[in-house]
Amino acid sequence: PRSTPKPSSAASDVYKRQAVFFGVVFYTAAFIAEIVRGGILAVPKGQSEAAAALGLKRATALRRVIIPQAARVMLPPLGNQYLNLTKNTSLAIAVGYSDIVQVGQTVYNQTGKTLPVVSIWMLFYLSCSLSISVIVNFFNVRMRIVER
């Protein structure tokens, strides 16, 4: 019986990173696709009928009539999904890039000070989350429906 050779540590790290990357990408892509589908379906059917009545091709109607209206509906859940992506990558980094986490673990194992290390990690993810929130809120304000 032949035994299969074990992958080297470097190859194992590559496989871990690929698994984490594709797992996060497919997980997030499924949610974003559903948000986009729901946003497009939220546009009243009369809008696409009106575009067809004007003689617009389907691609032109999507680009100029349907997508701009759907974007207003899609933007808040897309912002939430990107915030979720930021939170999910914290776990992915712990699994796929364990060497980064091990540096922090080494620091608090040698010094006994856990709070500064964890605080740095928390500040990093807090700044990422707040940045995404500010950007999404900026576009929400710009895309809001103006009452006449």
Side-chain angles (χ1 to χ4, degrees):
R2 294 164 61 192
S3 64
T4 57
K6 282 182 94 174
S8 68
S9 176
S12 176
D13 285 344
V14 170
Y15 293 140
K16 281 184 200 176
R17 290 181 179 140
Q18 287 176 348
V20 166
F21 174 77
F22 286 116
V24 169
V25 165
F26 290 143
Y27 177 79
T28 305
F31 281 102
I32 290 176
E34 191 62 25
I35 291 168
V36 171
R37 184 190 72 81
I40 291 172
L41 290 178
V43 176
K45 188 176 180 184
Q47 296 293 319
S48 56
E49 290 172 354
L54 290 173
L56 296 178
K57 295 179 181 174
R58 179 76 176 143
T60 305
L62 271 173
R63 189 173 64 249
R64 299 202 180 243
V65 177
I66 297 168
I67 297 296
Q69 295 179 54
R72 290 181 174 142
V73 175
M74 291 187 293
L75 198 56
L78 276 176
N80 289 338
Q81 190 55 44
Y82 288 125
L83 285 170
N84 285 338
L85 175 63
T86 304
K87 294 172 192 172
N88 291 341
T89 56
S90 66
L91 177 62
I93 286 174
V95 172
Y97 295 91
S98 58
D99 47 341
I100 294 172
V101 176
Q102 286 175 354
V103 169
Q105 288 175 341
T106 302
V107 168
Y108 67 72
N109 280 339
Q110 290 178 351
T111 63
K113 296 180 180 178
T114 308
L115 190 61
V117 175
V118 175
S119 296
I120 290 171
W121 292 340
M122 287 176 15
L123 286 174
F124 172 74
Y125 282 103
L126 177 67
S127 64
C128 289
S129 295
L130 289 177
S131 300
I132 292 170
S133 294
V134 166
I135 291 168
V136 169
N137 285 334
F138 171 76
F139 284 110
N140 274 336
V141 168
R142 288 203 55 199
M143 302 276 294
R144 76 175 179 256
I145 297 174
V146 178
E147 296 293 326
R148 294 181 188 187

